[in-house]
Coordinates of all heavy atoms in Angstrom, one line a residue:
G78 N 71.9 -14.3 129.6 CA 70.4 -14.1 129.5 C 70.1 -12.9 128.8 O 68.9 -12.5 128.7
N79 N 71.1 -12.2 128.1 CA 70.9 -11.0 127.3 C 71.2 -11.3 125.9 O 72.2 -12.1 125.6 CB 71.8 -9.9 127.8 CG 71.4 -9.4 129.1 OD1 70.6 -8.6 129.3 ND2 72.1 -9.9 130.2
P80 N 70.5 -10.8 124.9 CA 70.9 -11.0 123.5 C 72.2 -10.3 123.3 O 72.6 -9.4 123.9 CB 69.8 -10.2 122.8 CG 69.2 -9.2 123.8 CD 69.3 -9.9 125.1
R81 N 72.9 -10.9 122.3 CA 74.3 -10.4 122.0 C 74.2 -9.0 121.5 O 73.3 -8.6 120.8 CB 74.9 -11.3 120.9 CG 76.3 -10.9 120.6 CD 76.9 -11.7 119.4 NE 78.3 -11.5 119.2 CZ 79.0 -11.9 118.2 NH1 78.4 -12.6 117.3 NH2 80.3 -11.7 118.1
S82 N 75.1 -8.2 122.1 CA 75.1 -6.7 121.7 C 76.6 -6.4 121.5 O 77.3 -6.1 122.4 CB 74.6 -5.9 122.9 OG 74.7 -4.5 122.6
Q83 N 77.0 -6.5 120.2 CA 78.3 -6.1 119.9 C 78.5 -4.6 120.0 O 77.5 -3.9 120.1 CB 78.7 -6.6 118.4 CG 78.6 -8.1 118.3 CD 78.9 -8.6 116.9 OE1 80.1 -8.7 116.5 NE2 77.9 -8.9 116.1
V84 N 79.7 -4.2 120.0 CA 80.0 -2.8 120.2 C 79.3 -2.0 119.0 O 79.4 -2.3 117.8 CB 81.5 -2.5 120.2 CG1 81.8 -1.0 120.3 CG2 82.2 -3.2 121.3
N85 N 78.6 -0.9 119.4 CA 77.9 -0.1 118.5 C 76.7 -0.8 117.8 O 76.2 -0.5 116.7 CB 78.8 0.5 117.4 CG 79.8 1.5 118.0 OD1 79.6 2.0 119.0 ND2 80.8 1.8 117.2
E86 N 76.2 -1.8 118.5 CA 75.0 -2.5 118.0 C 73.9 -2.5 119.1 O 74.2 -2.7 120.3 CB 75.4 -4.0 117.7 CG 74.2 -4.9 117.3 CD 74.5 -6.3 117.1 OE1 75.5 -6.8 117.8 OE2 73.9 -7.0 116.2
L87 N 72.7 -2.3 118.7 CA 71.6 -2.2 119.7 C 71.0 -3.6 119.8 O 70.6 -4.2 118.8 CB 70.6 -1.2 119.3 CG 69.4 -0.9 120.3 CD1 69.1 0.6 120.3 CD2 68.2 -1.7 119.9
A88 N 70.8 -4.0 121.0 CA 70.2 -5.3 121.3 C 68.9 -5.1 122.1 O 68.7 -4.1 122.8 CB 71.1 -6.2 122.1
R89 N 67.9 -6.0 121.9 CA 66.6 -5.8 122.5 C 66.3 -7.0 123.4 O 66.3 -8.2 123.0 CB 65.6 -5.7 121.4 CG 65.8 -4.5 120.5 CD 65.0 -4.7 119.2 NE 65.2 -3.5 118.3 CZ 66.2 -3.5 117.4 NH1 67.1 -4.5 117.3 NH2 66.4 -2.4 116.6
V90 N 66.0 -6.8 124.7 CA 65.5 -7.8 125.6 C 64.0 -7.9 125.4 O 63.3 -7.0 125.8 CB 65.9 -7.4 127.0 CG1 65.3 -8.5 128.0 CG2 67.4 -7.3 127.2
R91 N 63.5 -9.0 124.9 CA 62.1 -9.1 124.4 C 61.1 -9.4 125.5 O 59.9 -9.3 125.3 CB 62.0 -10.1 123.3 CG 62.8 -9.7 122.0 CD 62.2 -8.5 121.4 NE 62.6 -8.3 120.0 CZ 62.1 -7.4 119.2 NH1 61.2 -6.5 119.7 NH2 62.5 -7.3 118.0
Q92 N 61.6 -10.0 126.6 CA 60.7 -10.4 127.7 C 61.1 -9.7 129.0 O 62.2 -9.3 129.2 CB 60.7 -11.9 127.8 CG 60.2 -12.7 126.6 CD 58.7 -12.4 126.3 OE1 57.9 -12.2 127.2 NE2 58.4 -12.4 125.0
L93 N 60.1 -9.6 129.9 CA 60.4 -9.1 131.2 C 61.4 -10.0 131.9 O 61.4 -11.2 131.8 CB 59.2 -8.9 132.0 CG 58.2 -7.8 131.5 CD1 56.9 -7.9 132.2 CD2 58.8 -6.4 131.5
R94 N 62.2 -9.4 132.8 CA 63.2 -10.2 133.5 C 62.5 -11.1 134.5 O 61.5 -10.8 135.1 CB 64.1 -9.2 134.3 CG 65.0 -8.3 133.5 CD 66.0 -9.0 132.7 NE 67.0 -8.0 132.2 CZ 67.8 -8.3 131.2 NH1 67.7 -9.4 130.5 NH2 68.7 -7.4 130.8
G95 N 63.2 -12.2 134.8 CA 62.7 -13.2 135.8 C 63.9 -13.7 136.6 O 65.0 -13.2 136.4

Side-chain angles (χ1 to χ4, degrees):
N79 291 278
R81 187 183 187 188
S82 175
Q83 299 181 79
V84 178
N85 294 340
E86 178 184 30
L87 187 141
R89 301 165 180 86
V90 179
R91 295 296 198 175
Q92 298 294 327
L93 295 172
R94 300 291 197 199

